[in-house]
Amino acid sequence: MQTFRFSKMHGAGNDYIYVNCFEEKIENINETAQAVSDRHFGIGSDGLVLICPSDKADFRMDMYNSDGTQAEMCGNATRCVGKYVYDRGLTDKTQITLETLAGIKILDLNVKNGAVETVRVNMGSPVLEPENIPIASEHDRFIGEDIEIDGRIYKVTGVSMGNPHAVAFIEDTDSLDIEKIGPGFETHPLFPKRINTEFAQIIDRHTIKMRVWERGAGETLACGTGACATLVAANLNGLTDDEADLILLGGTLHIRWDKAENKVYMTGPAEFVFDGIITL
C-alpha cells in the first residue's frame, strides 16, 4: 500500500495525474499508472506524469499511458509540467529545460499575474525517415501512402516528434467512428511499436481540425506531439502553410514549423484541475 499527493492537470483537455517526485516516491509505477488513470475506480486521466530531478536539465518528466506503458513524450504534458514547477515555486525561471525520453525540450513560460497562462515548447525536429519513426517501409519518406483499415484506404503520412505518428487526412472528423478505426491503425503491421494516429480535416491553409487516437490510451481530447506531427504532415502534402491553428476536441494549439531551424514550436494552455491524496 502506498499514499502520495498528486495534482490533476490538463492541456487542452489532455489530462494527466502529476506527482512531484522531489517530495513523493511512487512504487510499482506501471500498475500505479493504470490504477490512477481508471475513470471509474481511480482518479481518471490519460496517464501518469512524474516530475523528477534531472542531471541533464532543470527537470525530468517521466510519463506513463493509462494502460501502464511508458511513453517517450507528450506535448500537452510538457506544458503542464512547466506550469506546475513555476506556479508551485520549484523554479523562478520563465525559460526552463525539461528532460524527456525524446530528448531535452525548451519551455518558454508566459506568466500573467504570477501564474503561467500558456507555454511555448520547442518540440525539436520532425523525424521523417520510416526506419526512425518506426514504420516498416522501404521508402525514404512515408508521405501520402495508402493504408487499408477495415476495407477503406487512407492516405497517411508518418512523422515522429519523439514518438511515432501516422496522420490520415479525411473530409469530416465529426462523423469519424474513431473507436472502431483507431485500434486498426494502432496495431497495423506497418507499425512495429504501435502508432499514435491523427485524423485531420483541412479547414483552410491556416486551420486544421483533428481527432487523436493515442496508443495505449485510446481517443484523447488533445495531443501536443500529434498536433505538431499533423502540421508537418499537412505542410509536406501541400495542404497548409508552415504555421496553423490545430483545433482539437479539448481546445486549440498553435503550431509553427520553423524550416530554417527545422524545429517545431507548440503554444497552448495548461490548467490545474485539483490536488489530492490517494492511497493504493
Side-chain angles (χ1 to χ4, degrees):
M1 183 175 291
Q2 60 177 326
T3 299
F4 57 87
R5 297 178 181 274
F6 68 88
S7 296
K8 182 167 180 175
M9 303 181 71
H10 77 88
N14 192 191
D15 61 336
Y16 287 89
I17 305 306
Y18 293 80
V19 178
N20 178 357
C21 289
F22 287 81
E23 299 178 354
E24 307 288 341
K25 182 177 180 180
I26 304 299
E27 302 171 356
N28 304 314
I29 297 175
N30 305 89
E31 293 83 358
T32 298
Q34 290 179 288
V36 299
S37 299
D38 192 296
R39 296 189 184 276
H40 298 287
F41 297 101
I43 304 165
S45 70
D46 290 325
L48 172 68
V49 174
L50 308 181
I51 303 171
C52 307
S54 172
D55 57 7
K56 300 177 181 178
D58 294 317
F59 302 94
R60 187 179 86 244
M61 178 181 80
D62 291 341
M63 63 167 302
Y64 296 81
N65 296 315
S66 58
D67 67 353
T69 57
Q70 190 168 17
E72 300 94 339
M73 176 50 189
C74 172
N76 293 314
T78 63
R79 298 199 312 277
C80 289
V81 170
K83 181 175 177 63
Y84 186 102
V85 297
Y86 185 90
D87 288 9
R88 299 297 170 93
L90 276 67
T91 185
D92 60 359
K93 298 194 296 185
T94 57
Q95 184 180 83
I96 63 170
T97 54
L98 182 65
E99 179 187 354
T100 75
L101 286 181
I104 294 176
K105 307 302 176 185
I106 300 172
L107 283 60
D108 290 295
L109 314 180
N110 175 27
V111 178
K112 187 175 182 180
N113 297 323
V116 172
E117 189 171 66
T118 61
V119 180
R120 177 178 180 261
V121 184
N122 180 342
M123 299 288 284
S125 302
V127 175
L128 304 177
E129 299 81 9
E131 64 180 348
N132 296 324
I133 293 175
I135 297 176
S137 170
E138 296 181 355
H139 297 300
D140 293 335
R141 299 285 191 272
F142 198 86
I143 299 174
E145 299 288 342
D146 290 346
I147 293 182
E148 182 177 349
I149 303 291
D150 290 336
R152 177 178 171 180
I153 301 295
Y154 295 85
K155 294 288 186 182
V156 174
T157 296
V159 181
S160 173
M161 291 302 307
N163 53 358
H165 294 272
V167 182
F169 294 99
I170 62 176
E171 293 184 358
D172 180 23
T173 57
D174 291 336
S175 62
L176 177 68
D177 189 353
I178 197 169
E179 295 289 339
K180 178 182 178 182
I181 299 167
F185 272 93
E186 181 177 351
T187 60
H188 194 283
L190 276 171
F191 310 121
K193 292 187 177 181
R194 298 187 294 163
I195 201 80
N196 302 289
T197 308
E198 285 71 44
F199 300 94
Q201 175 185 348
I202 304 299
I203 305 301
D204 56 43
R205 293 195 65 84
H206 299 282
T207 313
I208 305 173
K209 189 176 179 181
M210 59 179 283
R211 291 173 68 181
V212 182
W213 182 268
E214 289 200 52
R215 60 176 179 169
E219 184 173 22
T220 58
L221 296 182
C223 176
T225 57
C228 293
T230 298
L231 183 277
V232 170
N235 185 262
L236 289 172
N237 283 277
L239 301 173
T240 65
D241 295 335
D242 53 13
E243 189 167 0
D245 288 327
L246 280 290
I247 303 171
L248 302 102
L249 294 180
T252 299
L253 301 176
H254 186 78
I255 311 297
R256 181 171 68 89
W257 184 11
D258 186 325
K259 290 184 176 178
E261 297 181 357
N262 193 29
K263 301 292 185 183
V264 180
Y265 293 89
M266 171 193 64
T267 303
E271 299 287 344
F272 281 104
V273 182
F274 59 82
D275 298 325
I277 302 174
I278 189 170
T279 299
L280 298 172

